Amino acid sequence: MTAIKDGKMDWPGFSYSDSEWERMYALAAPVTYGTYQKYVWINAVIFIVIAAIGIAVIFMPAAIFLFPVPAETSALKFSLLLAGCAFLILGGGLPISLRIASWLAVDAATRAQLAAAPGDAALDSKVSWQINRITLIMCGILVPGMLVWITYDINAGPIVTVIKWVAIGLMGVSTAAGVQKQRKQK
């Protein structure tokens, strides 16, 4: 979260009080840039593994059981199954991967500098709820909405096409700006 704040980025709904930011910076202080990058890569690998297991163990068996004749599967039922599996994988898998990655990426010397303080449990709960809220929005609205849009081949004309390309461009610009700001902070 401190990297987002340092990058002058603001995510709607991710607001913290000054004392909460102060605590987050205190917790982030002993974590080096190398440790942070290690954490990001480890988290990515672990989450991809969890997602792959979720697809292989939950989604595929459920799809085969529920839809024995794929050609007769309705878009709504398939979208609901996909949204449910995405909810389980993101809602359960992401917190697991975040915790495992932090445990693997942080060495004993850094851990020794991280002592619990009053209010940490409430702050952890607040951050966890915000991650879960993103999961609910993505799985409850975005995934089914996009799948229905694609399944029924809804043609919204050139305006939506332009909006999609602008969004893709903005993501690229945002990513490049974030990388540039991180390089300047080193």
Side-chain angles (χ1 to χ4, degrees), residues 2-165:
T2 58
I4 292 168
K5 184 172 173 88
D6 290 343
K8 306 287 187 240
M9 294 178 275
D10 185 28
W11 289 1
F14 279 81
S15 59
Y16 298 97
S17 68
D18 290 340
S19 63
E20 289 170 330
W21 278 118
E22 185 178 314
R23 183 59 185 151
M24 281 193 262
Y25 276 105
L27 290 167
V31 179
T32 65
Y33 179 76
T35 300
Y36 173 70
Q37 289 301 313
K38 184 178 172 184
Y39 164 77
V40 168
W41 283 102
I42 291 171
N43 181 58
V45 170
I46 291 170
F47 182 73
I48 289 168
V49 169
I50 289 171
I53 291 169
I55 295 297
V57 173
I58 299 169
F59 181 76
M60 291 304 294
I64 291 167
F65 175 75
L66 294 171
F67 316 122
V69 181
E72 296 174 5
T73 303
S74 75
L76 178 60
K77 290 177 184 176
F78 182 81
S79 297
L80 290 173
L81 175 63
L82 185 61
C85 288
F87 178 75
L88 289 173
I89 292 168
L90 284 170
L94 185 58
I96 290 169
S97 71
L98 291 170
R99 293 186 191 282
I100 293 172
S102 63
W103 180 74
L104 291 173
V106 178
D107 60 18
T110 304
R111 254 189 220 102
Q113 297 177 45
L114 301 171
D120 281 358
L123 183 58
D124 178 59
S125 178
K126 184 174 184 177
V127 172
S128 294
W129 164 243
Q130 291 172 340
I131 291 170
N132 289 335
R133 189 183 61 205
I134 291 171
T135 301
L136 287 169
I137 292 168
M138 285 178 58
C139 298
I141 298 169
L142 185 63
V143 172
M146 290 175 66
L147 285 173
V148 168
W149 194 279
I150 292 166
T151 302
Y152 289 110
D153 195 23
I154 298 171
N155 185 1
I159 294 173
V160 172
T161 302
V162 169
I163 291 170
K164 284 190 231 178
W165 283 106

